[in-house]
Amino acid sequence: MKKTVVGMLTMTAMAFAMGSAFAQDAAKAPEMTAAEKEQSKKIYFERCAGCHGVLRKGATGKNLEPHWSKKDKDGNMSEGGTLKLGQQRLEKIIGYGTDGGMVNFDDILTKEEISLMSKYIQNTPDVPPEFSLKDQLDSWKVIVAVKDRPTKQMNKLNLNNVFSVTLRDTGEVALIDGDTKDIVNVVKTGYAVHISRISASGRYVYVIGRDGRVSLIDLWLEKPAVVAEVKIAFDARSIDTSKFKGFEDKYAIAGGYWPPQYTIMDGDTLKPLKVVSTRGMTVDGEYHPEPRVASIVSSFIKPEWVVNIKETGQILLVDYTDIENLKTTTIGSAKFLHDGGWDASKRYFLVAANASNKIAAVDTKTGKLAALVDVAKIPHPGRGANFTHPKFGPVWATGHLGADVVTLISTPSDDKKNAKFKEHNWKVVQEIKHVPGNLFVKTHPKSKNLWADSAQNSDKDLAESVSVWDMSDLSKPKAVLNVAKDSGLPPTKAVKRAVHPEYSADGKEVWISLWGGKTDQSAIVVYDDATLKVKKVITDPKMITPTGKFNVYNTQHDIY
Ligand code: DHE
């Protein structure tokens, strides 16, 4: 095993050395002490790697190598790099951001840190170590053995309506009773915890931290708590579980950003069983040393996971019936795959190729690419939203980080009554006027409303508000709800971002996180979906930086 890891490292280093003029770059890069490098490395991991990549080859963010050169499709060469930009320009970009979508860091990093980061990115990127199956097994802990777990639900919670809430900056998840709005437990999870997904049975919650720590929460315990943990990577974002009939709760899968690989685990213990590297060729036929695992979703119609590989633009259909002899279908789409969700029929998975401004749709029944749809700048659907458009039939919606529209794409349907909409399938049928900086859209089959946040908008009022459209008549003006004001919390200079609408299990309430600073009081504001009036504001000193909220029933059944 050791030999393989060393071999992979050498390969990465070689690919690196061949790709750029590192030796001469290093000579010109600003000098840094070992302590400064360590400090910058930590800041880079926490603040920059998500968009620019560990190896700095760029994804949603630009390439940040000291020197790069590339050929366009007509064979014309261009060159650039952080060395060419130089210290002063880099400090400006990091401090004030750019029109291209880079956010300003002058309110997050000190002047000294900005100067340090500008120096750091002119130096050759370090190649972090690998993380083998053995490393993962060494980190694996079963806290409550399966035989010691209850055989039936030991609490009186309405589990369908429990919400697993990311408390981003404390590395915790709050489990909230959706009926009473009480916090049932706050459990320790990974660093800057990212998302939760629910097992097919609805019993287990799988949580992934950005540090690659997976936590398994058993909702049947008298007080739901973590029963197993494992670390699958140094940097990670995605997780899901096996949902096909006969495989319920059997396996979990988690994807790494670094190392670029995914791990298949036992569903009820998290014992790592198999690690698969995602390094390989992009859809343009170029080798990439860091193809990160973006969204993963579990199919209901086949024993398969859809695993989306960001930098290569390859969509993998991983068949988990025989993990010793793993069968994978590789579908080329477009580069920089990110987040996505099912269409209403749950046959097609639609995923944002965000830096290509496209949505890729995979037909999981045939195992083929169904469509590549051009949309506006930087689509960011979250899971997207499905509803029946009065004029165009079934549509799936995505918002955009870089454009002021929510785009509706017509999706196929086997229902005879929708046959007349076939001519529109995979076309953009409408763009609804919104504002840029939208992260998540959401609806529910029992609702007539479409909700969208604008959490990353540069205007404070807009970042603190959400918009709601009546889906039966999209020409009606949208309602704009200022969630920060509705929360009744004292105003703060820092933005309290209103983010991630999530429905209750019955589709009657919409929960919005008010994501304040680490020392500000944050909240979750619960709206009545029919009247758009506030029903409840959930605040608590423990409610620090809430972001994603995952209703058990809706997440278990992929309802959006
Ligand atoms: Fe996320 C989903 C990656 C920043 C909240 N985010 C995803 C997914 C990916 C991803 C790949 C899809 C997972 C899946 O479905 O399996 N997110 C990234 C990043 O790389 C990025 C841009 C930068 C980073 O450094 O991490 C990033 N994400 C954020 C945030 O800053 C957010 C807003 C707040 C937070 O808690 O970190 C955030 N991401 C979310 C949420 C989802 C998500 C709530 C799940 C949406 C859903 O409804 O399923």
Side-chain angles (χ1 to χ4, degrees):
M1 179 52 84
K2 226 176 200 152
K3 203 167 169 196
T4 322
V5 167
V6 172
M8 277 164 71
L9 255 176
T10 317
M11 261 168 54
T12 313
M14 270 168 55
F16 243 62
M18 288 191 300
S20 20
F22 278 137
Q24 79 203 49
D25 291 343
K28 287 190 276 174
E31 294 204 353
M32 298 179 78
T33 64
E36 283 176 334
K37 268 197 172 163
E38 259 329 287
Q39 186 188 350
S40 315
K41 205 195 270 182
K42 184 165 179 287
I43 297 174
Y44 187 84
F45 169 68
E46 288 173 1
R47 305 281 175 195
C48 321
C51 291
H52 298 280
V54 171
L55 303 181
R56 303 201 220 130
K57 289 194 173 284
T60 323
K62 295 251 190 271
N63 179 310
L64 293 182
E65 290 176 291
H67 177 266
W68 53 257
S69 59
K70 66 176 179 201
K71 219 187 255 178
D72 69 15
K73 57 180 184 339
D74 303 320
N76 304 315
M77 291 298 290
S78 56
E79 292 198 10
T82 49
L83 276 172
K84 205 167 174 185
L85 289 169
Q87 183 71 15
Q88 271 187 4
R89 177 89 187 99
L90 289 171
E91 284 182 14
K92 276 214 175 97
I93 295 176
I94 299 173
Y96 305 122
T98 65
D99 292 340
M102 161 92 176
V103 294
N104 59 304
F105 279 87
D106 58 350
D107 55 350
I108 297 173
L109 302 176
T110 63
K111 259 196 163 141
E112 291 69 35
E113 286 171 331
I114 290 175
S115 161
L116 211 57
M117 292 314 290
S118 307
K119 285 187 193 168
Y120 180 70
I121 57 174
Q122 291 175 74
N123 279 273
T124 305
D126 297 312
V127 181
E130 300 297 318
F131 202 64
S132 66
L133 179 63
K134 171 158 189 322
D135 295 328
Q136 301 185 25
L137 281 163
D138 289 347
S139 76
W140 173 49
K141 268 190 277 180
V142 177
I143 297 153
V144 183
V146 176
K147 66 174 175 39
D148 299 329
R149 292 182 203 161
T151 49
K152 59 178 183 17
Q153 186 184 339
M154 301 305 285
N155 54 57
K156 298 219 155 54
L157 294 164
N158 169 14
L159 290 187
N160 276 345
N161 203 29
V162 167
F163 287 69
S164 179
V165 178
T166 294
L167 301 180
R168 192 188 188 283
D169 288 5
T170 58
E172 289 170 326
V173 153
L175 299 167
I176 302 183
D177 180 338
D179 293 353
T180 62
K181 319 288 186 282
D182 292 337
I183 298 177
V184 176
N185 200 3
V186 175
V187 303
K188 200 78 210 146
T189 55
Y191 167 81
V193 54
H194 194 217
I195 63 164
S196 299
R197 297 290 185 224
I198 314 294
S199 72
S201 71
R203 171 179 183 170
Y204 290 114
V205 182
Y206 297 85
V207 183
I208 184 109
R210 279 182 171 75
D211 55 357
R213 176 160 141 194
V214 178
S215 310
L216 178 66
I217 298 168
D218 185 355
L219 293 175
W220 280 10
L221 297 181
E222 203 175 324
K223 186 170 181 172
V226 175
V227 290
E229 270 174 10
V230 68
K231 185 175 169 75
I232 60 100
F234 292 111
D235 191 3
R237 298 292 182 283
S238 49
I239 187 143
D240 213 340
T241 161
S242 51
K243 288 188 176 166
F244 188 64
K245 206 166 177 302
F247 292 88
E248 294 93 339
D249 301 17
K250 188 170 169 57
Y251 296 124
I253 176 173
Y257 263 19
W258 187 271
Q261 61 196 25
Y262 62 85
T263 299
I264 300 174
M265 295 156 271
D266 261 337
D268 55 2
T269 66
L270 299 185
K271 181 180 181 187
L273 303 171
K274 190 169 191 104
V275 185
V276 182
S277 171
T278 52
R279 288 190 175 102
M281 307 307 272
T282 68
V283 283
D284 300 334
E286 282 171 14
Y287 177 77
H288 202 293
E290 190 191 357
R292 298 176 286 173
V293 179
S295 42
I296 302 181
V297 72
S298 187
S299 170
F300 295 91
I301 63 166
K302 278 189 180 177
E304 275 179 359
W305 291 299
V306 183
V307 179
N308 298 285
I309 311 300
K310 189 185 285 290
E311 277 76 8
T312 57
Q314 310 282 10
I315 302 173
L316 312 180
L317 302 181
V318 179
D319 177 335
Y320 52 72
T321 45
D322 179 2
I323 61 166
E324 286 305 315
N325 303 285
L326 202 64
K327 284 196 212 80
T328 302
T329 306
T330 304
I331 301 167
S333 65
K335 283 198 290 196
F336 309 114
L337 299 174
H338 192 71
D339 52 351
W342 293 109
D343 75 315
S345 73
K346 297 200 170 68
R347 167 174 170 176
Y348 300 95
F349 186 74
L350 294 97
V351 55
N354 60 12
S356 303
N357 306 328
K358 288 184 195 306
I359 295 291
V362 171
D363 181 348
T364 58
K365 192 166 169 191
T366 60
K368 291 192 172 143
L369 187 71
L372 263 184
V373 185
D374 287 311
V375 292
K377 197 172 166 193
I378 322 181
H380 196 283
R383 287 294 172 123
N386 288 294
F387 65 97
T388 303
H389 189 284
K391 190 162 160 212
F392 299 107
V395 291
W396 177 88
T398 179
H400 297 82
L401 269 165
D404 59 357
V405 286
V406 173
T407 295
L408 308 183
I409 297 171
S410 155
T411 53
S413 162
D414 286 340
D415 194 330
K416 280 206 183 93
K417 74 173 189 302
N418 291 323
K420 57 181 178 290
F421 303 119
K422 200 167 186 285
E423 59 172 307
H424 302 299
N425 287 172
W426 304 128
K427 290 186 187 136
V428 171
V429 291
Q430 189 172 351
E431 289 186 323
I432 312 172
K433 184 92 174 88
H434 186 32
V435 291
N438 173 205
L439 281 174
F440 301 105
V441 291
K442 196 63 68 83
T443 188
H444 188 281
K446 291 195 182 134
S447 170
K448 64 174 184 55
N449 288 333
L450 173 67
W451 292 66
D453 62 24
S454 37
Q456 297 291 15
N457 195 285
S458 52
D459 179 271
K460 187 170 185 280
D461 266 354
L462 289 174
E464 294 183 340
S465 302
V466 291
S467 299
V468 189
W469 291 266
D470 177 345
M471 297 180 301
S472 63
D473 183 359
L474 290 162
S475 66
K476 274 201 223 157
K478 63 183 179 180
V480 179
L481 312 176
N482 189 312
V483 187
K485 287 194 182 126
D486 286 348
S487 75
L489 291 178
T492 44
K493 205 168 152 231
V495 184
K496 289 202 271 295
R497 295 181 197 280
V499 68
H500 197 244
E502 174 70 327
Y503 274 85
S504 54
D506 61 7
K508 289 188 174 159
E509 292 172 354
V510 178
W511 292 35
I512 312 279
S513 300
L514 204 51
W515 174 16
K518 201 171 172 180
T519 50
D520 301 326
Q521 179 59 65
S522 288
I524 291 172
V525 180
V526 179
Y527 288 93
D528 181 317
D529 183 55
T531 62
L532 306 188
K533 297 264 179 294
V534 176
K535 264 185 94 173
K536 174 90 185 173
V537 178
I538 309 174
T539 48
D540 189 283
K542 287 187 281 218
M543 186 71 76
I544 300 165
T545 60
T547 55
K549 299 159 301 303
F550 304 89
N551 173 273
V552 165
Y553 188 82
N554 294 338
T555 311
Q556 177 190 0
H557 298 281
D558 279 72
I559 294 173
Y560 32 79

